[in-house]
Amino acid sequence: LARTLAQSPDVDARWRLDSSGHLQLVSSDLPWLRPALGRSLEFIVAPGFAPLYVDGRRVVNSTRWVANDDERAAAARQQTQMARLLAPDVPVLLGFTDRTSVRVTPHVRGYATLGITFWLLCGLGLALELVGAVVILVRQDVRNLLYAVMAQCQALQMLMAAVDAVPGMGNLSLLGGHEAALRMALDVVTCAALLNATLLYPTPLPPRRALTWLSWIAAVVFGGAALLFDLPQAWWWCEALSLSTGLLVVGLLGWSYRITPHPYASVMRRLSIVTTGSLALVTIVVALNDRMSGDVQSLVSAVPVIWTVFFASLLLMSPFLARSQHMMREFAMLAGVSTLATSVDLLFVAVFSFNQFASITTSLFVALGVYAASRQWLLDQMIGARAVTTERLFEHLLRIARKVEEQPERAADWQLELFHAVFQPLVARHEPGFTKTTRWYEGGAGLLVPLAVEQFGNAGSPSQFDDGEQPEPRLIVLRFAERGKRLFTAEDARLADRIVEQLRRAVAHDRAIEQGRSEERGRIAQDLHDDIGARLLTLMYKAPNTEMEDYV
């Protein structure tokens, strides 16, 4: 893809939309273009072609986020015509609105002019594609296959968004006018796979057969109609299907949680609410695009790209919810806040007629205020994390250590009580098994904690295993943390290992103190015995009469 784009022709210049909807020349390294800085482009003339009058509002590399059918078709036509006019090493005439003109020669772009945004979006798309491939290679089942479908669809979306981010005059026509229909079809297929996966996991839901068939039939019908028959109002149909799927997924995950309080359903329901709300905000902004001035409309194209990055980052994060992925969570939240800030900025312009400076200032103030006030809450809600305070944990450890010291034969029960108090799982029990360190399973639904009861036996007392019989390895099994509201994470596994180690140290410390006290009592008693015995013996020998001697 990069090689194809690097070989495409372009004029060495940077443009932006002015208030009248024309492309305004901002900068150029070509000396004969520098006198035209600040002027607005009106038409392009190439040998053998009719003059092309350029509408700056239609200068886009992607028409996916153009709501109006006529405008989308006109933008695609202009893109195709501009790609034919700008041929490598063929001079063209650029005419400006002040009736001046400049002759320039387009040259191939080269890799250096693709822009940093192109490479970043391609990198994210490649990462998502590889994660989808790894997931299906690790385990071949229907759920992982559906995730791989979503990952591959959104990886293609990221690549096409990367093409859209390449700077220039909007002449990158790679799919012959079918780019918008293809991207809409990919979004609808992603929605069908997401709905199907929700019906299967974490709890299979009763209407899964009917809804699965309905979702895939809708995806195939819409994709075929958009690609083959130029479906009228295709953008509105796509957004309606996407938002409906989001709302349906939220409802199904709530129903799944009521049937079985699996924490994955609760976590994914929160993420689905955020994603659906963000998509609704983006849809409103794109629908109000016609009400905005030309210099603001350039920001409209950035909103869908930011939302695509946000959704791709959430999809990339979902297989790793039970692992410590602070950078990925921060990246996803930053993309979400950026979507909010840009969307609010454009809504202020469209609805309240703010000028650009006022709208940007207000939207940044609102977004930063929301970010500062809810950052930690948002991070916690991504996986439902709940901080265990040091005082609370110390209190539980001290109480259980006293119980283990008093009743070491019930050490397994006391450990189970300790972990139940810390993590508040719906299920906590002992099971036969062995694990060297604490680990989670089922994507964070459960936690397996090693249990070594013999290490808490009475110090100095005969062990129940002295006859050579080895104890059966046992585990503490915890499922559905915090009453089923969150997933166990890698931090929880490390915390459980530290709790076991600290409990062992606390019990050993108390026993060491008690042993020291016992030894000190014995030493004092021996000293008292030796001292008083010698004194009494001396008194007995010095007794003045037999009666006193017998008394001593």
Side-chain angles (χ1 to χ4, degrees):
L1 177 64
R3 180 174 179 271
T4 301
L5 296 178
Q7 292 178 349
S8 64
D10 190 43
V11 176
D12 186 10
R14 295 295 175 266
W15 311 83
R16 70 180 177 189
L17 274 178
D18 60 15
S19 57
S20 60
H22 290 90
L23 281 184
Q24 186 180 42
L25 182 61
V26 177
S27 64
S28 177
D29 294 332
L30 302 176
W32 48 87
L33 266 181
R34 289 175 185 170
L37 293 180
R39 298 175 182 174
S40 299
L41 181 65
E42 185 176 11
F43 61 86
I44 301 176
V45 179
F49 294 94
L52 172 63
Y53 287 87
V54 180
D55 188 343
R57 302 172 190 266
R58 298 170 180 170
V59 175
V60 289
N61 294 326
S62 171
T63 55
R64 159 67 177 93
W65 293 95
V66 178
N68 186 276
D69 290 346
D70 296 334
E71 284 296 319
R72 190 184 315 111
R77 285 195 300 270
Q78 178 175 285
Q79 183 186 66
T80 304
Q81 293 171 4
M82 193 175 293
R84 289 202 304 264
L85 291 178
L86 298 179
D89 302 324
V90 177
V92 296
L93 188 69
L94 304 182
F96 295 92
T97 55
D98 62 352
R99 301 193 179 280
T100 61
S101 60
V102 178
R103 188 173 298 276
V104 296
T105 302
H107 296 286
V108 294
R109 297 174 185 269
Y111 291 97
T113 61
L114 295 181
I116 186 63
T117 306
F118 169 81
W119 298 106
L120 292 176
L121 295 178
C122 280
L124 182 59
L126 180 60
L128 184 57
E129 181 181 1
L130 293 177
V131 168
V134 168
V135 165
I136 192 61
L137 289 175
V138 168
R139 179 181 298 173
Q140 292 78 33
D141 59 16
V142 177
R143 296 175 300 177
N144 287 356
L145 176 62
L146 293 171
Y147 176 81
V149 170
M150 289 187 284
Q152 300 306 317
C153 288
Q154 293 307 308
L156 289 175
Q157 288 277 28
M158 292 303 303
L159 293 182
M160 285 185 276
V163 174
D164 193 22
V166 174
M169 301 181 68
N171 61 314
L172 296 175
S173 179
L174 301 181
L175 297 174
H178 297 290
E179 182 264 348
L182 178 59
R183 293 187 67 176
M184 292 179 196
L186 290 175
D187 280 340
V188 174
V189 170
T190 301
C191 291
L194 177 61
L195 181 60
N196 196 356
T198 305
L199 292 168
L200 293 175
Y201 186 81
T203 303
L205 298 176
R208 59 183 179 275
R209 188 180 300 274
L211 286 179
T212 296
W213 278 104
L214 182 62
S215 62
W216 286 111
I217 289 174
V220 171
V221 169
F222 174 83
L227 289 169
L228 301 176
F229 306 110
D230 195 15
L231 179 67
Q233 303 297 326
W235 187 84
W236 291 102
W237 281 107
C238 178
E239 296 307 294
L241 288 173
S242 300
L243 291 173
S244 300
T245 301
L247 295 175
L248 188 57
V249 165
V250 171
L252 290 175
L253 287 172
W255 184 19
S256 172
Y257 185 80
R258 285 193 295 271
I259 296 175
T260 303
H262 198 292
Y264 187 81
S266 179
V267 172
M268 294 308 297
R269 185 172 181 268
R270 290 192 287 265
L271 294 179
S272 299
I273 292 174
V274 173
T275 305
T276 305
S278 301
L279 178 59
L281 195 59
V282 172
T283 302
I284 295 173
V285 168
V286 174
L288 295 175
N289 185 22
D290 295 338
R291 301 181 57 179
M292 302 177 190
S293 60
D295 53 350
V296 177
Q297 283 187 352
S298 58
L299 293 175
V300 176
S301 60
V303 178
V305 174
I306 296 173
W307 186 87
T308 303
V309 171
F310 172 59
F311 182 70
S313 61
L314 290 182
L315 194 60
L316 186 63
M317 185 181 67
S318 59
F320 309 104
L321 287 175
R323 292 163 175 82
S324 178
Q325 296 291 329
H326 297 294
M327 184 179 297
M328 196 177 298
R329 293 178 207 160
E330 292 280 0
F331 179 72
M333 190 173 64
L334 179 62
V337 173
S338 301
T339 305
L340 173 66
T342 313
S343 301
V344 170
D345 174 27
L346 298 174
L347 286 177
F348 283 152
V349 173
V351 179
F352 301 107
S353 300
F354 284 11
N355 60 49
Q356 189 170 359
F357 177 77
S359 65
I360 289 178
T361 305
T362 308
S363 62
L364 284 178
F365 178 78
V366 171
L368 290 176
V370 171
Y371 178 81
S374 60
R375 176 185 177 277
Q376 189 59 47
W377 181 84
L378 287 173
L379 283 175
D380 293 344
Q381 291 304 308
M382 281 189 173
I383 59 170
R386 179 178 58 89
V388 181
T389 62
T390 305
E391 294 81 3
R392 182 167 166 267
L393 183 58
F394 180 77
E395 178 185 350
H396 291 315
L397 270 172
L398 188 61
R399 179 173 56 86
I400 296 302
R402 294 288 183 266
K403 290 186 176 182
V404 171
E405 186 179 0
E406 294 171 0
Q407 296 178 295
E409 69 279 0
R410 296 189 59 192
D413 296 331
W414 301 138
Q415 290 181 72
L416 189 64
E417 180 181 334
L418 173 60
F419 285 111
H420 192 281
V422 172
F423 296 113
Q424 297 183 7
L426 284 177
V427 178
R429 61 176 182 269
H430 297 122
E431 283 187 3
F434 173 76
T435 179
K436 188 176 181 180
T437 58
T438 303
R439 59 185 178 88
W440 71 91
Y441 65 100
E442 290 186 10
L447 200 67
L448 300 177
V449 184
L451 180 64
V453 181
E454 67 275 9
Q455 297 190 17
F456 296 106
N458 275 321
S461 63
S463 173
Q464 55 180 321
F465 308 114
D466 286 347
D467 56 359
E469 180 183 357
Q470 294 298 322
E472 180 185 13
R474 299 174 69 190
L475 296 170
I476 293 178
V477 179
L478 308 175
R479 287 181 61 82
F480 307 159
E482 200 177 344
R483 312 301 297 174
K485 294 180 181 178
R486 71 177 183 93
L487 296 169
F488 286 108
T489 65
E491 287 89 346
D492 292 327
R494 288 191 287 269
L495 176 61
D497 285 333
R498 289 196 293 267
I499 287 175
V500 172
E501 181 62 28
Q502 292 303 319
L503 182 60
R504 290 170 180 167
R505 290 183 180 182
V507 173
H509 179 70
D510 286 347
R511 286 176 177 170
I513 292 178
E514 187 59 32
Q515 182 179 359
R517 288 174 178 171
S518 299
E519 292 175 354
E520 185 66 13
R521 291 191 189 100
R523 186 186 65 79
I524 293 174
Q526 185 64 40
D527 290 346
L528 287 173
H529 175 270
D530 294 345
D531 181 63
I532 295 177
R535 291 174 183 271
L536 290 176
L537 186 62
T538 301
L539 287 176
M540 185 177 64
Y541 283 129
K542 292 182 178 182
N545 51 55
T546 305
E547 180 181 359
M548 180 60 67
E549 182 180 351
D550 294 338
Y551 177 75
V552 172

